[in-house]
Amino acid sequence: MGELLLEIKDLKKHFPIHGGFFRGVSGNVRAVDGISLQVYEGETLGIVGESGCGKSTLGRSILRLLEPTDGSVRFKGQDILKLSKSQMRTMRKEMQIVFQDPYASLNPRYTIFQTLSEPLEVHGLADASTRKQQVHSILQRVGLDPSYSSRFPHEFSGGQRQRIGIARALIVNPKLVILDEPVAALDVSIQSQIINLLEDLQNDFQLTYIFIAHDLSVVKHISDRVLVMYLGRMAELASSEELFFNPLHPYTQALLSAVPIPNPRMKRERVILQGDLPSPAKPPSGCVFHTRCPLVQDICKHEVPVWTEVKPEHFVACHFSSNSI
Amino acid sequence: MIQESLPLEASLVETIKDERPKFIHRFWKSGMTKLGVFLLLFLVLFSYVGPLIYRHSAINSHLLATDASPSAQFPLGTDSVGHNVLAQLMVGGQSSLEVGFAAAIVAMIFGTLYGMISGMAGGWVDTVMMRFVDILLSIPSIFILLFLNAVFQPNIFLMIFVLASTAWLGVSRLVRAEALTIKNQLYVEAAHAIGTRTLRIMVRYLFPNIIGTVLVASTFQVADAILYMAGLSFLGLGLPPPTPNWGGMLSDGMNYMFQNSWWLIYPPGLCILIAQVSINLIGDGLRNAIETRER
């Protein structure tokens, strides 16, 4: 593992619910509720969890696209939540994001050239003549023909657009790239191309990825370490291999048992979760997973499980994690 | 550096060219747009060059030939006080076109700015700005116009200001609604993620995406302004006589509708219609030229 690049401490993002006669705050949606983790240079940290568990909110909060409610985010030792708006703008060339929806994330009024040269312009990274050169070479790098640069987004397919989105994130030479479900909107055949492209780019430019996804097979393939989130909280964090072969949290076990195996004869036990994801506005007491946990005991309803390192580099938040080792 | 890792071949750079036709070509390619431009050109020539060719006073009263139907001497007849209708129509076009266009443009610019700022700012700024618009909208605009025109001595600049002062309200609401939608688009968030300033986002992201709607809405304002001016003239608060204008001529002519004096109604009515149609067609053409997608 490389040097510490990003350190998040107790990060929270609550969305106030307005209601009542005077439109006062009647509650909070705890989308991200106390996340602490470290990201090291050159690694890929996968973040998984079902829809609504706060993965994307976490990604956006790290970049201050959403202002976090509480906590700290230290990038290269600097607390970026304390930066002024203009300092933050400068910082943005170090940390970039690729969005899930390649159709909505490109300005329909911009040509590809305009989309890609804007980051350079905004950060004053190149003069007009070199800008053109740089846009063309990044297009080539992500596997698109540079002559496409005068076209508009609607003239491209989803996979091509996602390549453009990746090019836009990389053109400023960032250290950290947050990939917010970058392949979820694409065909399976295109997914593998984009994943391969992302891996190549990571090797070539020593990028650090935070890879947000709900597709476990993709995460397993690309990640060094994986964080499992449930209802805005951390459930389990371990290296990719450790997590997939030795999941300790019952939620992780349930998620893994839902991954299809490409062999119809192989049978295995499915852990089927009952009920729906509870409302993040009223999270359950104690362990937030206790309403759906197959192993639930009395203690789970009252006591919040402690985030413990049960094995080296393997963290779990479950009262019974040590039993299953 | 990412860029240095892959130098582009020189030959390739040369082959990269702009495939999109120039703005003016995109604007000019539609037949309807051409028609609009020609119609407007016709009206402008009619109003400004016409009086130089057809040298008859629009103000003189021919008291021996009042209410005359079209004849060789008066191609479009005369009105009840013996004004030459054709001469009036030409001179009247000047103030109508000037006021109509200027009021629409002022309303469009101010309404767009106001709506964009309100929508982009959000929160209590947005609430205050929009409640102010709501209050003004709740007063029938004719009262505001009457009040302003009664307090100040009407001239052409005041007229433009007065008409624009109510016309911008609708535009600002429209723009604000659009701004709210676009503000929450993912590509605007992507722009924030890149580090783009809010001002640049307003100019480069919001404005180009709003302008199409604004153009279409604003084209209606031209005819509205001409007709509002007519209403004011009718109430004696328009441009001071004897300066004629189309709206005023039309509302005068209405009084004689049952005497079969069609020459008092159709000519100014047709002029207003042509003005409206031409500006609509031009507005459509502009919108299509701005649009990146073919329609």
Side-chain angles (χ1 to χ4, degrees), chain A residues 60 89 118 123 140 152 173, chain B residues 2 189 194-195 200 205:
Chain A
R60 283 168 160 79
R89 261 201 295 276
E118 182 157 66
H123 293 289
Q140 234 181 7
F152 286 91
N173 278 312
Chain B
I2 286 176
E189 193 179 357
I194 284 162
R200 191 185 165 102
Y205 286 72

Side-chain angles (χ1 to χ4, degrees), chain A residues 165-309:
Chain A
I166 292 168
R168 171 175 58 190
L170 294 188
I171 200 163
V172 290
N173 278 312
K175 277 258 170 280
L176 174 74
V177 182
I178 294 183
L179 302 159
D180 187 2
E181 309 213 24
V183 295
L186 306 176
D187 283 353
V188 179
S189 58
I190 309 293
Q191 284 189 3
S192 58
Q193 293 177 11
I194 297 290
I195 293 289
N196 289 339
L197 173 69
L198 287 170
E199 285 186 313
D200 289 348
L201 291 167
Q202 182 173 36
N203 288 336
D204 291 357
F205 308 123
Q206 287 85 47
L207 297 170
T208 307
Y209 285 157
I210 293 180
F211 191 97
I212 299 169
H214 56 247
D215 184 336
L216 289 164
S217 52
V218 171
V219 170
K220 184 183 176 185
H221 177 77
I222 199 170
S223 307
D224 300 311
R225 290 190 302 149
V226 178
L227 169 71
V228 181
M229 277 179 76
Y230 183 80
L231 213 64
R233 265 159 260 215
M234 301 187 292
E236 187 164 3
L237 171 69
S239 74
S240 184
E241 270 177 40
E242 170 76 13
L243 188 92
F244 280 88
F245 290 107
N246 188 18
L248 295 180
H249 198 286
Y251 180 61
T252 315
Q253 289 162 1
L255 281 183
L256 290 178
S257 82
V259 176
I261 318 168
N263 181 353
R265 289 201 192 85
M266 225 156 92
K267 295 269 179 270
R268 68 169 163 195
E269 242 176 85
R270 280 286 311 269
V271 184
I272 307 233
L273 293 183
Q274 302 297 321
D276 289 329
L277 194 67
S279 161
K282 289 191 205 84
S285 61
C287 173
V288 283
F289 188 55
H290 83 251
T291 53
R292 301 167 78 191
C293 185
L295 312 173
V296 62
Q297 304 282 325
D298 264 351
I299 182 175
C300 304
K301 294 174 185 164
H302 309 298
E303 267 178 55
V304 180
V306 186
W307 182 246
T308 37
E309 188 167 9

Side-chain angles (χ1 to χ4, degrees), chain B residues 14-285:
Chain B
E14 280 160 28
T15 60
I16 298 167
K17 59 176 194 317
D18 199 344
E19 295 167 356
R20 202 173 182 223
K22 290 271 176 295
F23 179 82
I24 190 73
H25 293 284
R26 281 181 278 138
F27 174 68
W28 195 242
K29 71 171 193 271
S30 145
M32 294 311 266
T33 313
K34 286 177 193 161
L35 179 67
V37 171
F38 286 132
L39 284 177
L40 188 63
L41 204 63
F42 165 74
L43 282 184
V44 170
L45 289 176
F46 176 75
S47 306
Y48 290 89
V49 182
L52 303 177
I53 298 163
Y54 184 75
R55 292 184 160 276
H56 288 267
S57 170
I59 299 164
N60 280 356
S61 291
H62 303 271
L63 292 174
L64 295 176
T66 56
D67 280 326
S69 54
S71 61
Q73 198 194 350
F74 305 110
L76 287 176
T78 60
D79 66 8
S80 57
V81 285
H83 290 139
N84 183 336
V85 172
L86 180 60
Q88 277 210 317
L89 204 59
M90 289 176 169
V91 179
Q94 298 177 1
S95 55
S96 289
L97 288 176
E98 283 163 15
V99 172
F101 276 88
I105 289 170
V106 171
M108 174 176 132
I109 293 172
F110 189 72
T112 306
L113 276 177
Y114 193 93
M116 261 169 68
I117 292 169
S118 178
M120 201 65 190
W124 65 269
V125 179
D126 180 39
T127 310
V128 170
M129 284 176 88
M130 277 301 125
R131 285 304 87 80
F132 178 67
V133 169
D134 289 346
I135 290 168
L136 287 183
L137 274 175
S138 68
I139 309 168
S141 57
I142 195 76
F143 287 126
I144 301 175
L145 300 178
L146 282 179
F147 170 75
L148 289 172
N149 257 16
V151 172
F152 304 104
Q153 187 65 41
N155 62 38
I156 201 156
F157 289 106
L158 183 80
M159 205 68 190
I160 292 166
F161 167 74
V162 164
L163 291 170
S165 72
T166 56
W168 70 272
L169 298 169
V171 179
S172 74
R173 273 194 144 188
L174 201 70
V175 169
R176 183 238 178 198
E178 289 274 307
L180 283 184
T181 327
I182 294 164
K183 182 171 85 162
N184 292 319
Q185 294 283 332
L186 195 58
Y187 58 80
V188 173
E189 193 179 357
H192 281 296
I194 284 162
T196 314
R197 283 164 199 277
T198 310
L199 185 66
R200 191 185 165 102
I201 289 177
M202 282 173 78
V203 176
R204 304 288 301 271
Y205 286 72
L206 269 182
F207 184 70
N209 282 299
I210 285 171
I211 189 67
T213 319
V214 172
L215 274 174
V216 174
S218 298
T219 53
F220 292 104
Q221 308 271 354
V222 177
D224 276 0
I226 292 174
L227 290 174
Y228 265 125
M229 197 156 67
L232 289 173
S233 315
F234 184 70
L235 294 168
L237 287 165
L239 290 174
T243 322
N245 69 74
W246 290 340
M249 290 170 71
L250 188 64
S251 59
D252 284 347
M254 300 279 267
N255 299 334
Y256 304 98
M257 205 151 67
F258 301 110
Q259 296 174 15
N260 268 339
S261 306
W262 56 267
W263 58 90
L264 296 180
I265 297 169
Y266 286 122
L270 203 63
C271 283
I272 295 174
L273 184 73
I274 294 174
Q276 171 68 22
V277 167
S278 66
I279 190 68
N280 258 352
L281 293 176
I282 293 171
D284 271 358

Side-chain angles (χ1 to χ4, degrees), chain A residues 60 65 89 92 95-97 99 101 104-110 114-115 118-123 133-134 136-138 140-141 146-147 149-152 154 168 170-174 205, chain B residues 1-9 12-13 15-20 185-198 200 204-205 208-212 287 290-294:
Chain A
R60 283 168 160 79
L65 291 176
R89 261 201 295 276
R92 289 198 184 285
M95 37 206 322
Q96 278 294 320
I97 181 165
F99 293 97
D101 186 348
S105 63
L106 300 173
N107 185 353
R109 304 274 162 177
Y110 267 10
Q114 286 174 307
T115 295
E118 182 157 66
L120 299 174
E121 252 175 272
V122 164
H123 293 289
Q133 166 86 32
Q134 293 194 8
H136 290 157
S137 55
I138 193 91
Q140 234 181 7
R141 191 62 197 80
S147 66
S149 60
S150 62
R151 297 195 186 170
F152 286 91
H154 69 263
R168 171 175 58 190
L170 294 188
I171 200 163
V172 290
N173 278 312
F205 308 123
Chain B
M1 290 286 285
I2 286 176
Q3 288 77 26
E4 285 160 8
S5 64
L6 226 146
L8 200 65
E9 295 142 47
L12 201 60
V13 176
T15 60
I16 298 167
K17 59 176 194 317
D18 199 344
E19 295 167 356
R20 202 173 182 223
Q185 294 283 332
L186 195 58
Y187 58 80
V188 173
E189 193 179 357
H192 281 296
I194 284 162
T196 314
R197 283 164 199 277
T198 310
R200 191 185 165 102
R204 304 288 301 271
Y205 286 72
N209 282 299
I210 285 171
I211 189 67
R287 196 198 51 198
I290 291 164
E291 205 73 43
T292 52
R293 228 174 268 243
E294 299 283 329

Side-chain angles (χ1 to χ4, degrees), chain A residues 6-11 35-37 58 62 72-74:
Chain A
L6 182 79
E7 188 175 24
I8 301 164
K9 273 212 182 106
D10 204 24
L11 193 71
I35 299 281
S36 303
L37 53 87
L58 175 62
I62 293 170
S72 76
V73 178
R74 302 181 82 83

